[in-house]
Amino acid sequence: MKRTIPLLLAMSAGFVMIVAFFIPATLTWGEKVSIWFDILASIAFILGGGNLLKVQLKKISDKTAGWGYSVITVVAFLVMLFVGLTKFGVNPNPAFPAHGHWAGQYNEIGSPFWWLYEYMFKPLQATIFAMLAFYVASAAFRAFRAKNFEAILLLVTAFIILLGRTAAGVFLTDFISADSGFQGLRLENFTGYIMDVFNTAGNRAIMIGIALGTASVSLKILLGVDRSYLGSGEE
Amino acid sequence: MAQLMTLGITAAFLILLTFAVISWTNFFKTIDRRWVFLLMLFSVAVPVYVIGKTKQTFPEKALPLAQAVFDEIEKLNEGDKVLLAFDFDPGSEGELGPMATMFAFHCATKKLKMYFIALWPLGRQMIDDNIEKVIKPDFPEMIYGEDYMNLGFKAGNEGVINVIVTDIKQLYTTDAYGRDINQIPMMEGIDNIQQMDLILNVSAGFPGTKEWVQYAVTPFPHQIRLVGGCTGVQAPLLYPYIPEQLPGLLAAIKGASEYESLVIGKYGGDGISGKYLEAQRRMGPQLVAHVLMVLLIIAGNIIYFVERTREARP
Amino acid sequence: MKRWLIVSIAANLIALAGPGTRAATAQGAAPAPPTNLTVADHPWDNGDSLDLKWELSPDDASLLNYQVFKALGQIGPVNQSPLEFELVGRVPPGTGEYQVSHVPAEIEKSVKDMESHRNLFSDPPLPEDPRKKVKLKVSYLFRVVAVAKDGAPSTSATTTEPFTPTREWFMGNRFSLSIITVIFCGAVIFWINRARKGKPIKVRKIAGLEAVDEAVGRATEMGRSILYVPGTQDINEIQTIASLAILSRVSKTAAEYDAKVEIPVARSLVMATARETVHAAYLAAGRPDAYNEDLIYYVTDEQFGYVAYLQGMMVREKPATCFYMGAFYAESLILAETGNSIGAIQIAGTAMPAQLPFFVAACDYTLIGEEFFAASAYLSGSAEELGSLKGQDVGKVMVAVLLLLGVLMATIATMADNATLQDWVTYLKEIILT
C-alpha cells in the first residue's frame, strides 16, 4: 500500500499530462497537475529550511570539523529570513498608509534586504562564477592530451576557436583577403563555420539521444517498470 | 610580413617552451595547480592594468553580424523609438555589460527615444546602472520621460512579450519608479511595442532573444524589427534565426567589441571615456588568457609525449 | 460636335484612370474593399480558432495592410445597440486569409505565472491574453478592412451571421506527433514484454557504470565517504529522477560494502525522495541499521551557494569517490575540478549538452546523455529495463530514417528545382517535425 498509492498517483498524473496534450477537452487537467506540483514544491521549502537548521545546528553542537561554517550558514539564513519576512526597514506604501511598512516592497532599493542582496549575495555569486576561468585553465593543462586521432582533431579545433575568438585570430590570417575565395579560411570565419556546422551537428545528435532517453525513462516510470524513485526496484 | 614575424616569434617561443618542459618534465608534471591559477590571474590582471594605463586596445575588425547590428541602429533617425530589453544579471555582466552600455550610448548619441525594459529580475539594476553611467553624466540634456524612460521588470517571462506586443499599457500602469505611465510624455500614443522602430535585446539566457524572436518578431514580422546581443554559449542557438528574424547579433564579448569599435569609430572621437571601451579592453585579457590556455595545452601535451617516449624506451 | 469631343475626351480619361490607379490619383482616397468574406471553424482544434478568407481588394498592390476586426455576435432577440468591433490582427497585402487563433499552452501558462507575481496592492488585473481572440461557445462577427499606405481605410467586408467555433476531440496539429509517440511507446512496451518472456537483451559496456563497484570499493578501502550529487534541479526534472534511480543502485552497493554515502541536495523534494530511495536500498541490502537519514540533507536552492558548500565540504572531508548525476549548469566544472584536486575518483552523468565537455575533461568517467538514462537499466540488469533500451533504439532508427529522407529530399529538391519535392520537404519540416 505504501508503494502502491504513490505508484498509482504517479501513473495517473503522468497519463493525464500525456492525454491533456492531445485531447482539447482535457487541456486544463495538465495545468492543474502542474499547479499541484508547484504547491508541493512551495511547502517543501519549509521542510528544506527546517532540515538545513537541524543539520547545521547538529554540526555546531557536535563541533565537527568546519562547524564555524555552519555558524555562518545559520546566522545568514536567519538574518535573511527575518529581514525578508518582516520587511525590516522598508518604507510604507503611500497608496496604503494604514498598513504601514507591510504594504511596501520587500526588496525596495535601500532596504536592508536589498542591501544584503546587492552587496553580499551578488558579489559572492559573481566570485564563485568567476572561479570557472581558473578551473578551465587547470583543466586544459591537465586533461587535454592528444592520445588518439580524435583527441588531436579536438585539440586543433580548440586552438582554432580559442584564437579565432580573439584579435590574434584576425591578425594571423589577415593576409587572406576578405573578398577572396579563401576568405572562409580566415580564423574568425572558420571559427563561425565550426560553431555553425560541426558544433551544431554534434549538439543536435546528443540532444536527439537525450530526447529519446527522456521519453524512454518517462515511459518506464509511468508504466511502473522503474520504481526506484519509490524505493527499492525489487518487489 | 607582420604575420610571418609573429609566426617566427611564436615558433621560437614554442621551441623554447618545449626545451623547458623536456628539461623540467617532473616539475611541470607535478606542478601545483595554483601556479596555473596564478598564471591565469596575471594573464587577466596584467592586460587589464596595461590597457587601463596606456588606453590602447587591440584593433578590432567588425564581422558581418556586428556590422548588421550597427547598421540597423544607424538607419534610425532622431526621435525614432527604440525598446531596449536588458535580460541579464550581474553574473553575465562581464560578457553583456559592455554591449548594453554601447547600445545606450549609440541610441543616446543618435537622439533616439529609449524605452528600457527587463524580463529578468536583476535586469532592472542593469538598466539603472546604464542610465547612471551613460545617460545622466554624458547626455544631461536628455530628460526622463521625454527622451528615455525605464519600464522596469515584470515577471512572466515570454508572457510579458506576448502581452506588450499588442497592449503595453494594460501591463505597465507605472514605470519602474512608480510614476503613472499616462503622465509620461513619451508614452503618449504608444499602445504596443509594434510602434517601436527597433528592439535591442541583451540576453543571458531564458527569457531572452529566442523568446523575443518567437513571441514578438515571428507573429509580427513586418511590424517588429529586432537585433540583439547574447552570451557565447547562447549564440549557436540563435544562428538559425539569422538573418530573417534576427538581422544582426553580437555574440559574447567579441561581438560587443566589434560593435563598440564601429560606434567609437563613428561617434567616439579622442578622449572617449574608458567606460565605452570596456569590450575592447576585455578583449585584451581574453586574448592573453586564450593564448595562455593554448600554451598550457601544448605544454601538457609535450609532457605527455615525453612521458610516453620514456616509457617506450627499454 | 464640341459636345461630342468633350464627352469622348472624358470617356478616354475615365478609361485611362482604371481601378489600379484610383488610390494613386487622389490623396486620402479610400481603397476598394475586400469582398466575399467567409468564416469557418478551424479544423481539429480546441474550439478557439476560426479561419477567415476573403477576396483581395482590387487595390491590393497599393495597400499597407488588411485589418481584421471582431465583435461579439448577437444571439436571440436583436439588440438595438451598435456592435463594437475591436482590432484583432493585421495582414500584409496579397494575403486573403487570417486565422483568429488560440494561444499556445506555454504562453497561457506564462500569463498565469505573471498573474501570480503581480503586486496585489498596486497592479491591476491582467487583461485576458490578447491573442486569445475567440472562445468556445461564443458567437462572433468579423470585419475586414483594406488600409491604404496613407492610412485611409476602405469600407468593410463584414460577415452577416454570427459564427461559433467548435471544439474537436483531437488536436489536429499534433497528429503526426501522436503517431510518432504511439510507435515509439509501442516499441518500448513490445521489447519490455519480449524481455519479460526471457529473450536475452545485449547492451554494450558503458565504462562509467562498470566502474561504480570499483569506485565504491575504493571508498571503503580508504575509509572515506562517497559524495553523491543528484544535480541542481527539482524532482520534476527527468534527469533528477534518473539520478535517483542510479542512487538506488549506488546506495545498495555502498550498503553491502559498508561505505558512507553523503547526499547534499539543492531541492527539498529531492531530499525527501532521496531519503526514501536510499532507505529502501539499505533495506534491500539487508543493512537497515546502517541507514542514516542525516546524510541526505538540504543545502540551498541557490546554484552557486550550493556549489560553494559542496566545494568546501569536498576540500574538508575529502570523499574518495564523487558521483555527479543529474542536471547541472555552470557549476559542473567547479565541482569536477575540486574533486580532481582532492584526488577523488569521479563519475559523472548528465543530459545537459553544454556541460558534457566539462565533465568529459575533468572526470574519470562520464555518462553522456543517453547513457545516463540507460544507467538505471544497466546497473539493475533487470530484463524489463534492458528491454526498454531496445525499444529506444526503434526511436533512433525512426529519427535516422527521417533525417536521411529529409536531407535527400531537400538536396534533390534544390538541385532539381522540383516543386513537388519542395512541398514534401515543407510538409516534413512544418507538419511532421513541428
Side-chain angles (χ1 to χ4, degrees), chain A residues 2 18 20-28 31 34-35 37-38 40-41 44-49 51-52 54-56 58-59 65-66 69 73 87 93 95-96 99 102-103 105 121 124-126 128-129 131-132 134-136 138-139 142-144 203 206-221 223 225-234, chain C residues 45-46 108-109 112 119 121-122 167-171 174 177-178 181 184-185 188-189 192 196 234-236 238 241-242 244-245 248-249 252 268-269 271-273 275-277 280-281 284 293-294 296-299 301-302 304 307-309 311 316-317 330 333-334 337-338 340 351-353 356 358 361-362 368-370 373 376-377 384-385 388 392 395-396 399 403:
Chain A
K2 191 184 166 190
I18 293 174
F21 189 72
F22 294 106
I23 314 271
T26 60
L27 269 174
T28 53
E31 288 168 19
S34 297
I35 290 167
F37 173 77
D38 289 341
L40 279 173
F45 274 122
I46 303 167
L47 176 72
N51 179 259
L52 175 77
K54 179 191 165 197
V55 167
Q56 302 304 326
K58 190 166 187 301
K59 283 186 181 173
Y69 299 110
T73 305
K87 292 190 175 177
N93 187 338
F96 302 95
H99 296 278
W102 294 106
Q105 286 279 359
F121 174 73
L124 287 168
Q125 187 188 42
I128 302 289
F129 199 16
M131 286 166 70
L132 271 173
F134 299 97
Y135 288 137
V136 163
S138 70
R142 195 194 68 252
F144 291 176
N203 245 326
I206 292 176
M207 282 161 67
I208 289 169
I210 287 169
L212 291 170
T214 303
S216 178
V217 169
S218 306
L219 196 59
K220 279 191 293 183
I221 289 168
L223 294 174
V225 171
D226 185 350
R227 302 179 191 191
S228 52
Y229 65 97
L230 293 173
S232 167
E234 293 154 354
Chain C
D45 69 341
N46 191 21
E108 283 194 54
K109 184 175 182 304
K112 283 179 182 163
N119 186 324
F121 291 108
S122 57
R167 168 191 274 169
E168 278 73 41
W169 67 272
F170 194 83
M171 296 290 280
R174 294 173 184 170
L177 181 60
S178 68
T181 306
F184 178 74
C185 295
V188 171
I189 294 168
I192 288 174
R196 273 188 184 147
D234 215 332
I235 196 73
N236 60 339
I238 194 68
I241 298 178
L244 292 177
S248 170
R249 316 294 171 209
K252 187 161 178 255
S268 320
L269 283 178
M271 177 186 74
T273 320
R275 282 180 172 180
E276 289 294 317
T277 302
E293 73 166 16
D294 286 340
I296 305 145
Y297 53 91
Y298 170 80
V299 179
D301 277 43
E302 170 53 38
F304 289 115
V307 77
Y309 172 83
Q311 272 190 293
R316 284 191 299 275
E317 297 182 22
L333 184 63
I334 298 176
E337 276 298 296
T338 309
N340 198 275
M352 308 295 276
L356 282 168
F358 299 123
I368 297 174
E370 233 185 332
F373 290 119
S376 165
E384 291 168 341
E385 294 197 48
S388 73
Q392 209 172 304
K396 268 189 247 179
V399 169
L403 259 172

Side-chain angles (χ1 to χ4, degrees), chain C residues 34-35 58 102 215 270 282 288 290 304 351 415:
Chain C
T35 52
H102 67 289
V270 176
Y282 273 69
F304 289 115
M415 286 170 61

